[in-house]
């Protein structure tokens, strides 16, 4: 192709680099999202997932460009709608590993309604949110997770709104795998991603992924000093109340790791009787059988 | 009613919660099993208890498409119905009512009042809907039918509720039937019998069944009148037919779920009304940009905004034409009746799959909630299914596959996620042939132009596959009536009535809005002596579209926008006034206050 350098996609990846997409990221140098992308490549390599077995779905925003930089099937959809599109895709072909990527504005702001209901339905999706507490692509306005008093272009005198807590919200809404990561700790993040993809049900990994250009409050340095892994705290991932308490801690200590893991609630595709047999609906014969047609007509008589 | 044909219209009026639906559906089944054609229109409001419901059921020994002009029998379930509608009955009409609770009004000469002493006939039953069953007995008798016809229908209706309920209803119906023998005059000629039993469906059933026949495997919806019936049919039949049905949190989610399911290869569909469609529109554009075939149904109701949720209108044409930002093509079809609503769904799915684009079925409450009879042998549940250029299996080396390859037809083979070797990203951003975004790279005007033209080219080829509209009726008629979608049937009946009055008329009924057969329409309209457009809206939405696509004007308009559908005589009166030169813009007066 003229204009931009593109690479051919690798059919059977043998290294993390083989999970590179056709183009390289156009993120700002130093963006936290690089760490997230590298963690995902490593997680998929370690799990032996083939690119055609993965569908990466995103919305709009810096981090939503993710599918273009990753070797898999991908959908770069509308702002805020990735979870809805991904739900349709997963339910129509439940054999796909569906990973949803996006940012805090996309997922917790404009897509907030879908976040609530996708968690409640326990759709078997892995939701990777790169939370930079700011709107980056629109050059720096308040996001749902921006801290109180934060000064941005849309809050020049400081925010007066209390921030959204993705972890407690996901837990309250019924998500069955709720974790928090930090983009600079790719080893930890990659491990969380593997667990999340393996989990049957809705899994959220909300990741501190600092914006180097527009957020000068929540920087890599800010998080490095504060993050503590729940794994080192003897946290019981079956205890939702303890998970919420840990998720509310925000000060000198901020917890990362797996907050909640519910293993006994069926995912939506597992609960759906239409999928009991016959494989993914996307692969089934379209035409009605004679018996089905006869039953339809007999009910009209 | 033209001579030699049987026709009978019955209306049931009452308040919401009085149980009009049950006697209505029992009678409808009874008629269609007898082989009679039927059309029923239910006028109601958006409340669960109270208000005024008025069900008009017209039957004939020939196919009918509207609730007609006249009334032969009125069942009043409350005083309000008696007060509002007794005046609609002329000589030979009959009004049936509970004489314990309803006072008769002043009836026209020749109207037979049929009071039912419900307390006495029901043995002082506490069942508050028992008057409905007694009335069914009375009506069955007045129509000259044997009691066992009704008994069978009651058993069918109430069988699931157990013997006690069946017996109570059969006893009450029998009491009404016997009382009518003693006290009322039946029709001089009993109800005729048709050639064979007919099926019964609503337009919503037909849309859903059209989806099932087309191979829809994913259906999503958010409840919204008057489209909810599609969801109900799909939910009821989902497990039998292997259709995934998802009720979503809003119509934004509905449309996006449909697009996700469609992208991985399922035929996917959703239905809503104008308000829900407004929320879906951004997704319609995303389907066009990502080149994903999906079908969106907009069942119009009276707007704007919440509007009149239970009333009909053809007011969303420009909403469909302009759904979503940007300059792109979408297919739009407006079915003309229930059978057509069924048929257009597989038709538009095949075209959407071929062109890999969104399609919109635009219809209205009149069709969606109307109850129609149908010849069961005329319902083709096994239509041709054409999925277009789709790569569902096989393996190819990566790098050679371009999802948006710039081909002569504009159509690029579509690989389904999951197939090894074809990994690619689809994007709502403008992209190049290999789907790499050009919006973030730098703006490349030549690539942009190429992709715009590629997408447009796909649609340009579709028009050859859809039938051009043709004039129905005499070529040299005095008047050519032009309508779109649901008005075809009522215009057809108006044309018959006009013939009786010495005015010859023909009809140009438009189904396909996009693509639009402009040249065929120009040919038909330019030959016409006098053209009148009939529309169920205020501003002449189709008239404005016709002008934009053909540059043609017309001689006159008949428009109705009070929430109620056209009756044949509304159109007849409008044509007569225009032929007489009294007006070129006729707005009929709605006589039935519902």
């Amino acid at each position: 192709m003229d204009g931009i350098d593109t690479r051919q996609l690798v059919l059977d990846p043998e290294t993390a680099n083989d999970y590179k997409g056709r183009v390289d990221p156009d993120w700002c140098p130093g963006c936290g999202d690089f760490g997230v992308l590298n963690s995902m490549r490593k997680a998929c390599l370690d799990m032996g997932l083939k690119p055609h077995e993965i569908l990466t779905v995103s919305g709009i925003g810096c981090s939503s460009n993710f599918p273009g930089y990753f070797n898999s099937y991908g959908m770069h959809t509308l702002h805020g709608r990735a979870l809805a599109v991904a739900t349709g895709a997963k339910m129509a072909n439940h054999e796909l590993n569906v990973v949803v990527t996006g940012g805090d504005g996309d997922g917790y702001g404009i897509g907030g309604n879908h976040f609530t209901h996708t968690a409640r339905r326990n759709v078997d999706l892995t939701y990777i949110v790169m939370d930079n507490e700011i709107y980056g692509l629109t050059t720096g306005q308040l996001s749902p997770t921006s801290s109180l008093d934060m000064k941005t272009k849309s809050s020049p005198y400081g925010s007066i709104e209390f921030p959204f807590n993705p972890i407690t919200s996901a837990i309250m809404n019924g998500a069955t795998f709720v974790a928090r990561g930090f983009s600079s700790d790719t080893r930890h993040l990659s491990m969380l991603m593997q667990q999340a993809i393996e989990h049957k049900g809705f899994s959220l990994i909300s990741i501190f992924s600092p914006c180097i250009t527009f957020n000068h409050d929540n920087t890599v340095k800010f998080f490095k000093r504060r993050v503590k892994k729940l794994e080192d705290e003897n946290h019981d991932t079956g205890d939702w109340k303890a998970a919420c308490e840990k998720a509310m801690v925000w000060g000198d200590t901020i917890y990362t790791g797996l907050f909640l893991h519910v293993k006994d609630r069926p995912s939506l595709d597992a609960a759906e009787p239409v999928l009991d047999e016959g494989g993914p609906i996307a692969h089934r014969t379209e035409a009605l059988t004679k018996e089905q047609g006869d039953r339809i007509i007999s009910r009209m008589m | 009613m033209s001579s030699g044909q049987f026709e009978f219209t019955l209306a049931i009026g009452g308040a919401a919660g009085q149980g009009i639906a049950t006697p209505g559906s029992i009678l409808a089944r009874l008629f269609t099993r007898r082989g009679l054609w039927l059309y029923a229109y239910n006028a109601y409001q958006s409340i669960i208890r109270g208000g005024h419901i008025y069900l008009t059921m017209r039957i004939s020994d020939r196919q009918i498409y509207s609730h007609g002009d006249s009334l032969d029998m009125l069942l009043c379930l409350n005083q309000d119905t008696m007060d509002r509608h007794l005046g609609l009955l002329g000589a030979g009409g009959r009004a049936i009512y509970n004489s314990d609770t309803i006072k008769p009004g002043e009836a026209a000469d020749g109207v037979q009042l049929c009071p039912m002493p419900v307390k006495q006939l029901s043995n002082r039953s506490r069942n508050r809907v028992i008057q409905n069953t007694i009335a069914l007995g009375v009506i069955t008798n007045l129509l000259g039918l044997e009691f066992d016809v009704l008994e069978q229908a009651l058993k069918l209706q109430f069988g699931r509720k157990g013997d006690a309920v069946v017996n109570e209803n059969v006893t009450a119906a029998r009491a009404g039937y016997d009382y009518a023998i003693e006290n009322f005059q039946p029709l001089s000629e009993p109800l005729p019998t048709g050639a064979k039993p007919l099926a019964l469906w609503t337009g919503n059933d037909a849309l859903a069944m059209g989806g099932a026949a087309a191979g829809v495997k994913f259906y999503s919806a958010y409840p919204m009148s008057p489209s909810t019936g599609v969801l109900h049919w799909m939910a009821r039949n989902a497990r039998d037919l292997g259709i995934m049905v998802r009720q979503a949190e809003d119509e934004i989610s509905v449309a996006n779920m449909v697009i996700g399911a469609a992208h991985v290869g399922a035929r996917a569909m959703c239905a809503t009304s104008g308000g829900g469609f407004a929320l879906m529109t951004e997704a319609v554009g995303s389907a066009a940009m990502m080149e994903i075939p999906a079908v969106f149904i907009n069942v119009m109701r009276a707007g704007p905004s919440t509007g009149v949720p239970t009333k009909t209108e053809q007011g969303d044409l420009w909403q469909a034409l302009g759904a979503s930002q940007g300059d792109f093509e979408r297919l739009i079809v407006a079915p003309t009746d229930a059978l057509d609503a069924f048929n257009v769904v597989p038709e538009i799915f095949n075209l959407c799959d071929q062109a890999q684009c969104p399609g919109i079925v635009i219809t209205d409450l009149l069709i969606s909630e109307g109850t129609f009879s149908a010849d069961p042998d005329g319902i083709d549940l096994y239509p041709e299914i054409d999925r277009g250029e789709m790569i569902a299996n096989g393996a190819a080396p990566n790098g050679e596959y371009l999802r948006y390859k710039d081909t002569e037809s504009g159509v690029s083979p579509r690989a389904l996620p999951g197939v090894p070797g074809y990994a690619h990203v689809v994007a709502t951003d403008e992209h190049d042939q290999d789907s790499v975004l050009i919006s973030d790279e730098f703006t490349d005007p030549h690539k942009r132009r190429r992709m715009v033209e590629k997408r447009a080219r796909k649609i340009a080829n579709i028009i050859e596959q859809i039938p051009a509209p043709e004039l129905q009726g005499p070529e040299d008629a005095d008047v050519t009536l032009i309508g779109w979608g649901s008005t075809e049937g009522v215009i057809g009946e108006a044309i018959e009535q006009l013939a009786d009055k010495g005015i010859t008329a023909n009809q140009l009924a438009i189904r396909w809005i996009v693509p639009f057969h402009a040249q065929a329409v120009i040919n038909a309209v330019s030959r016409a002596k006098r053209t009148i457009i009939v529309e169920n809206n205020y501003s002449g939405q189709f008239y404005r579209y016709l002008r934009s696509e053909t540059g043609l004007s017309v001689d006159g308009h008949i428009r109705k926008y009070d929430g109620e559908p056209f009756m044949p005589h509304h159109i007849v009166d409008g044509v007569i006034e225009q032929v007489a030169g009294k007006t070129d813009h006729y707005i009929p007066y709605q006589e039935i206050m519902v």
Side-chain angles (χ1 to χ4, degrees), chain A residues 1-4 6 8-9 11 22-23 26 52 55 60 65 67 72-78 81 84-85 87-89 91-93 96 113-114 117 121 268 272-275 281-282 284-290 292-297 299-301, chain B residues 29 33 197-201 209 212 215 217 237 239-241 243-244 246-250 252-253 256-257 260-261 263-264 282-283 379 381-382 385 387 398 401 416-428 432 434 436-437 440-442 447:
Chain A
M1 299 270 98
D2 50 329
I4 191 168
T6 61
Q8 292 210 350
L9 300 176
L11 206 55
R22 284 188 187 271
V23 289
D26 57 8
H52 72 269
L55 177 67
I60 296 295
N65 285 353
S72 74
Y73 278 96
M75 299 182 80
H76 191 165
T77 73
L78 294 170
R81 312 304 164 209
V85 174
T87 297
M91 296 309 284
N93 184 353
L96 290 169
N113 198 21
H114 310 310
H117 292 280
R121 295 186 183 113
L268 188 64
E272 171 58 62
V274 168
L275 297 180
I281 56 164
R284 296 185 195 173
T285 310
E286 286 90 356
L288 295 172
T289 64
K290 177 85 173 57
Q292 287 171 331
D294 288 348
R295 284 197 291 274
I296 290 172
I297 295 293
R299 284 193 285 269
M300 297 171 69
M301 300 304 293
Chain B
R29 289 245 168 190
R33 277 163 178 256
L198 297 174
L200 204 56
W201 60 357
M209 280 174 54
K217 290 284 174 272
N237 290 278
R239 295 188 186 180
D240 181 22
L241 306 180
I243 299 173
M244 171 88 58
R246 303 252 64 90
Q247 183 180 329
E249 58 273 24
D250 56 31
I252 298 175
S253 183
N256 283 285
M257 278 191 194
H263 180 60
V264 301
E282 192 186 18
I379 300 170
L381 284 163
Y382 316 100
I385 292 174
R387 298 302 316 266
N398 260 320
Y401 176 67
L416 302 184
V419 180
Y422 291 88
H424 66 273
V425 179
V426 294
T428 57
D432 202 356
D434 59 2
V436 167
L437 310 193
D440 291 359
E441 167 203 336
F442 53 78
K447 285 182 185 171

Side-chain angles (χ1 to χ4, degrees), chain A residues 116 118-122 168-178 202 260 262 265:
Chain A
T116 297
T118 311
R120 170 179 76 80
R121 295 186 183 113
N122 201 28
T168 55
S169 299
I171 292 170
M172 288 300 120
N173 289 323
T176 49
F177 182 104
V178 184
F202 183 72
L260 184 75
V262 180
R265 251 187 70 207

Side-chain angles (χ1 to χ4, degrees), chain B residues 346-387:
Chain B
E347 193 180 344
I348 198 169
F349 260 109
N350 284 349
L351 298 175
C352 288
D353 265 342
Q354 284 173 31
Q356 301 176 5
C357 70
I360 299 167
V361 177
I362 185 164
T363 182
D364 55 38
L365 179 143
L366 184 64
I367 287 181
S368 82
E369 294 197 340
T371 301
F372 298 76
S373 53
D375 177 352
D377 299 322
I379 300 170
D380 179 11
L381 284 163
Y382 316 100
E384 188 201 339
I385 292 174
D386 177 358
R387 298 302 316 266

Side-chain angles (χ1 to χ4, degrees), chain B residues 76-121:
Chain B
C76 307
L77 298 182
N78 62 6
Q79 186 69 48
D80 184 37
T81 302
M82 176 67 84
D83 298 343
R84 280 171 192 260
H85 304 307
L86 182 62
L88 297 172
L89 289 169
R94 288 164 176 80
I96 304 159
Y97 60 99
N98 180 350
S99 54
D100 298 339
T101 57
I102 299 170
K103 287 194 184 68
E106 195 80 20
D109 286 345
V111 172
Q112 186 185 166
L113 292 173
C114 305
M116 308 180 293
V118 168
K119 268 187 201 142
Q120 175 201 323
L121 294 174

Side-chain angles (χ1 to χ4, degrees), chain B residues 194-212:
Chain B
K196 61 175 177 184
L198 297 174
L200 204 56
W201 60 357
T202 66
N204 277 331
D205 293 341
L207 289 163
M209 280 174 54

